[in-house]
């Protein structure tokens, strides 16, 4: 009997993207998938009603937005398969995706590979540049500055692969305590990858298998809140990993020069909406910090 996978999908108003994602899993799961666990973070768009019918689908309705990491941990706790795949609802699997990744992870030569990511294809057919090195206090402000500098057309070991398709051994995930739930959204996968490496495991990027990833996903319509969450998680990551001096530098940059640079960029573009979103994001960020 082949090893099995529990797939955890966190849904927040993903609409038809969720249905298409789950259907792609059902179409290509074979006998490798034990459960498709949909953790719904308080959606109000009726996306759960559009799910296909299948006994492997488990829906966990939280009633509120718990954040990504906390919802992932909750979904992971429902199953017991030896592998976990955290899959974004804006992805779709291809026929051999799961079989290829599972075969790679099951090979004796890859026994110390803890996490596997794959080639992600965008709407226009381009390969998404989605693996990164670990950021430093100097470059954490823009993901482009710490992306792994390669074309993603070949297999290689990497520091981190994006959480849109994050395939991890369950015993490792549980030993590490899962995602750090203090990250509401963003940086939680990067933090987990850092802990995977610290525990002596490696992370593999496979260009030889692929899935579709829309990108932007369900947060496109909430830009100010998305920026707030990103800034907040960046600050938490720096507090956790950069030491007091490094964290102080990130805090100073985040609250002084960065908002001015964002507003200046918006002015150059003639975008009053972007200025409003930036100011709203910083108001929310300050409010979140004041309540901690």
């Amino acid at each position: 009997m082949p090893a099995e996978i529990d797939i955890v999908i966190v849904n927040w108003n993903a609409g038809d993207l969720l249905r298409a994602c789950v259907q792609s899993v059902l179409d290509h799961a074979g006998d490798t998938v034990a459960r498709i666990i949909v953790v719904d973070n308080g959606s109000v768009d009726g996306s759960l009603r559009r799910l296909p019918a299948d006994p492997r689908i488990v829906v966990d309705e939280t009633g509120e937005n718990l954040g990504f990491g906390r919802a992932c941990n909750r979904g992971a706790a429902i199953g017991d398969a030896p592998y976990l795949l955290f899959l974004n609802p804006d992805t779709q699997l291809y026929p051999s995706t799961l079989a290829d990744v599972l075969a790679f992870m099951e090979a004796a030569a890859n026994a110390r590979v803890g996490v596997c990511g794959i080639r992600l294809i965008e709407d226009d057919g381009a390969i998404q540049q989605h693996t990164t090195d670990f950021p430093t206090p100097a470059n954490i402000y823009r993901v482009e500055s710490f992306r792994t500098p390669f074309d993603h057309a070949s297999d290689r070991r990497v520091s981190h692969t994006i959480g849109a398709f994050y395939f991890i051994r369950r015993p490792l995930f549980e030993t590490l305590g899962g995602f750090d739930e203090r990250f509401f959204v963003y940086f939680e996968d990067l933090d987990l990858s850092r802990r995977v490496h610290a525990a002596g495991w490696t992370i593999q990027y496979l260009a030889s298998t692929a899935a579709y990833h829309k990108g932007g996903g369900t947060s496109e319509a909430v830009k100010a809140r998305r920026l707030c969450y990103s800034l907040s998680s960046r600050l938490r990551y720096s507090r956790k990993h950069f030491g007091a001096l490094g964290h102080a530098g990130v805090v100073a940059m985040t609250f002084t020069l960065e908002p001015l640079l964002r507003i200046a960029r918006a002015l150059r573009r003639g975008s009053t909406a972007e200025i409003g979103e930036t100011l709203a994001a910083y108001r929310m960020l300050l409010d979140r910090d004041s309540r901690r």
Side-chain angles (χ1 to χ4, degrees):
M1 181 177 179
E4 292 187 318
I5 308 162
D6 283 326
I7 297 180
V8 178
I9 302 169
V10 176
N11 179 54
W12 183 73
N13 297 318
D16 287 332
L17 291 174
L18 176 66
R19 178 197 54 76
C21 174
V22 172
Q23 188 62 59
S24 78
V25 175
L26 294 174
D27 289 345
H28 309 308
D31 57 0
T32 64
V33 174
R35 300 166 194 83
I36 304 168
I37 303 162
V38 178
V39 183
D40 186 73
N41 264 347
S43 296
V44 294
D45 66 342
S47 48
L48 292 181
R49 294 195 300 271
R50 304 174 211 172
L51 286 172
D54 190 281
R56 289 170 292 182
I57 298 174
V58 179
V59 176
D60 178 21
E61 296 186 63
T62 68
E64 60 178 317
N65 193 342
L66 301 180
F68 182 76
R70 186 177 171 193
C72 282
N73 289 347
R74 180 163 163 152
I78 290 172
D80 59 4
Y83 293 98
L84 282 162
L85 170 59
F86 296 99
L87 189 65
N88 274 17
D90 60 351
T91 60
Q92 293 179 38
L93 303 186
Y94 296 155
S96 66
T97 303
L98 294 177
D100 289 348
V101 175
L102 189 57
F104 176 86
M105 295 294 278
E106 286 282 277
N110 302 318
R112 293 303 298 175
V113 177
V115 175
C116 191
I118 64 173
R119 182 164 43 98
L120 297 177
I121 308 299
E122 299 180 341
D123 282 320
D124 60 0
I127 301 175
Q128 191 173 76
Q129 309 294 296
H130 67 80
T131 65
T132 73
D133 299 325
F134 294 123
T136 68
N139 69 7
I140 194 172
Y141 308 100
R142 294 178 67 251
V143 66
E144 291 81 3
S145 63
F146 58 91
R147 279 206 177 105
T148 312
F150 82 113
D151 61 7
H152 289 65
S154 58
D155 298 357
R156 65 180 289 175
R157 298 285 170 89
V158 295
S159 297
H160 169 65
T161 183
I162 191 174
F165 185 105
Y166 200 90
F167 194 100
I168 186 169
R169 299 180 190 274
R170 178 184 286 276
L172 173 60
F173 182 79
E174 293 178 346
T175 296
L176 295 177
F179 290 104
D180 184 339
E181 297 181 3
R182 292 173 297 178
F183 294 90
F184 187 80
V185 66
Y186 302 121
F187 285 87
E188 70 289 306
D189 54 346
L190 190 64
D191 168 74
L192 180 56
S193 290
R194 190 160 183 156
R195 290 184 282 127
V196 166
H197 283 280
W201 294 79
T202 63
I203 296 178
Q204 178 75 29
Y205 167 78
L206 289 181
S208 51
T209 193
Y212 164 77
H213 182 218
K214 179 180 184 296
T218 58
S219 62
E220 286 180 335
V222 284
K223 293 180 180 178
R225 191 167 298 277
R226 181 177 60 187
L227 176 57
C228 172
Y229 289 149
S230 177
L231 295 172
S232 178
S233 291
R234 179 211 292 167
L235 291 170
R236 182 165 295 284
Y237 184 92
S238 72
R239 183 184 301 117
K240 185 173 181 178
H241 296 295
F242 290 166
L245 185 60
H247 175 59
V250 174
V251 170
M253 176 69 175
T254 299
F255 285 102
T256 57
L257 184 58
E258 183 175 4
L260 297 177
L261 292 173
R262 287 182 176 276
I263 290 171
R265 182 180 62 186
L267 287 171
R268 289 196 302 272
R269 295 175 176 173
S271 175
T272 56
E274 188 176 344
I275 295 172
E277 289 158 3
T278 299
L279 294 175
Y282 271 89
R283 282 195 298 269
M284 286 187 280
L285 180 62
L286 290 168
D287 182 58
R288 285 170 66 88
D289 284 349
S290 69
R291 288 186 276 109
R292 285 178 181 162

